[in-house]
Amino acid sequence: MTDGTNPPSSPQPEPAPGSGYGFPPGPPAQNGYGYPAGGGDHGYGYGYPQFDQQPNPYQQEADGGQWPPAAQAQPAQPGFTRLAGPDVPGASQQPDWEAMAERSDAERRKKKTKLWMLGGTVTVLALLAGGGTFLLLGGKGGADRTNAKPSAQASPEAEESKSPQVYTATVAGDDTLLRDSYGQTGIRLGPDLKIGPVGKRFQVIGKGSSNSWGQSAEPVVDVTKSFTITARAYSSATKGSRIVMSQGDGESYSFELGVNEVNDKQAWIFRVQTGDKGAEATTRTVTAEGLTVLKTPTLLMATYDAEKKAIALYVDGKKAGETPVPSIWQAPGPLQLGRSRHHDIWTGPWQGGLHNIKVYDSAFTQEQAAGYKEGKLSPAPKPAHAWLLT
């Protein structure tokens, strides 16, 4: 009987049952030549695998070739176990999966232990390098707690020097409103009073026009009590009245600090009103004559001592003069930069630069004024308001 293929031309000896030549050891399968018996479309399974069975694992995928010869039995190796039943050609041994899994788990545990020890060593070295002393305490339930005790704590001054804050002259989101560094009163800038650089900080620069002004939203100085006002000024005007700051927007001012012509020469002045009309009879003035005003950076400081009933003017830390006053008239209206109110008219538009403007709720003495100029005022009083700091 033939299955439609030509058999080899050279005759082959008939295999003996159990010889391993092309067959597994044991008796041949019933009703099938080289295949296990079973039902199916081909009845006896003659030369074909049955459809209701799984493919024979021992059949070569080549077209009609002989199976590989059976491998010689080998002794079992560690980690392997022999399969029960007849020997499988070419695969007499199978891995002992349980033993291999145990070895794999052991190796993983060993690696984790090494990594944990290495990580702990690196952490300890890093902590020691940071200068800290650390104590590991075992908590209840197996949980570890770490208490860190630094060897030294940096002072606020040291931290500030490491990361200084960026100074801003204006309120965030509004470039025309000067920020009050100590209080809550900003100063709105007019069209011709612009912010410009001075060193690494800022100043305002006026053109000397009617729009060279700045104004707060409310009064800043309580003229019924002692106060000190100070600013660094640079005047580029050759003549006329030039006001650094004043207070009041009614018929007249309460006080004004700036430049005025005295005996046909420019001079620094501090002037107050004791009456509400701004008349000459109710005006008190302290003047610093004989000093260079034009294009000269100058520290100005004006004080009112409510106990002594006196005003004083200091120029670059030196007392220029003092005069008694009965009291200062409290004019309505806010603080002004770059102008002053005279008989319902704005006068003295500022031309030049201004910065480091501060208001204190006390009257500086001569010693304090000198110390302020040298930056050695100790203890340094805290200003109530400050703008354009340097």
Side-chain angles (χ1 to χ4, degrees), residues 40-285:
D41 293 343
H42 294 276
Y44 296 99
Y46 186 75
Y48 292 91
Q50 306 306 306
F51 295 120
D52 57 352
Q53 301 288 333
Q54 295 294 325
N56 192 313
Y58 310 125
Q59 183 185 13
Q60 262 193 337
E61 294 182 358
D63 51 349
Q66 294 289 333
W67 294 344
Q72 297 295 324
Q74 298 293 332
Q77 298 179 8
F80 288 77
T81 183
R82 299 180 63 85
L83 292 176
D87 292 338
V88 179
S92 62
Q93 296 179 357
Q94 288 290 327
D96 186 346
W97 301 114
E98 183 176 355
M100 293 179 68
E102 291 179 356
R103 286 200 304 273
S104 178
D105 289 341
E107 290 179 0
R108 282 197 297 269
R109 288 194 298 269
K110 187 176 181 180
K111 288 182 180 180
K112 286 183 179 180
T113 302
K114 289 182 178 180
L115 291 175
W116 182 87
M117 294 177 64
L118 178 60
T121 302
V122 172
T123 301
V124 170
L125 291 176
L127 295 177
L128 291 176
T133 302
F134 294 86
L135 179 63
L136 298 180
L137 299 177
K140 294 182 179 180
D144 290 339
R145 297 178 183 177
T146 303
N147 294 334
K149 184 177 180 181
S151 59
Q153 184 174 1
S155 64
E157 291 80 5
E159 291 298 326
E160 185 176 359
S161 64
K162 290 180 182 178
S163 56
Q165 298 295 322
V166 176
Y167 178 79
T168 57
T170 57
V171 173
D174 192 342
D175 292 338
T176 65
L177 185 63
L178 295 183
R179 182 175 65 87
D180 187 348
S181 297
Y182 284 86
Q184 302 294 326
T185 306
I187 296 180
R188 179 69 60 187
L189 300 179
D192 291 339
L193 193 61
K194 302 292 187 180
I195 296 177
V198 54
K200 295 182 179 180
R201 293 294 179 95
F202 305 95
Q203 64 179 337
V204 288
I205 303 171
K207 295 182 178 180
S209 68
S210 59
N211 285 322
S212 300
W213 54 267
Q215 176 176 288
S216 66
E218 57 188 5
V220 170
V221 180
D222 184 352
V223 297
T224 66
K225 300 177 181 179
S226 297
F227 66 85
T228 296
I229 56 175
T230 180
R232 294 184 182 272
Y234 180 90
S235 176
S236 58
T238 58
K239 61 181 180 179
S241 174
R242 305 293 173 176
I243 301 302
V244 172
M245 74 174 87
S246 69
Q247 185 164 284
D249 61 359
E251 187 174 350
S252 185
Y253 58 90
S254 280
F255 65 82
E256 62 181 7
L257 172 66
V259 179
N260 205 352
E261 291 187 5
V262 178
N263 299 324
D264 298 326
K265 291 183 180 179
Q266 286 188 320
W268 297 108
I269 60 97
F270 177 48
R271 183 180 290 135
V272 301
Q273 277 292 338
T274 62
D276 61 350
K277 301 299 183 183
E280 185 176 349
T282 57
T283 302
R284 300 293 186 268
T285 304

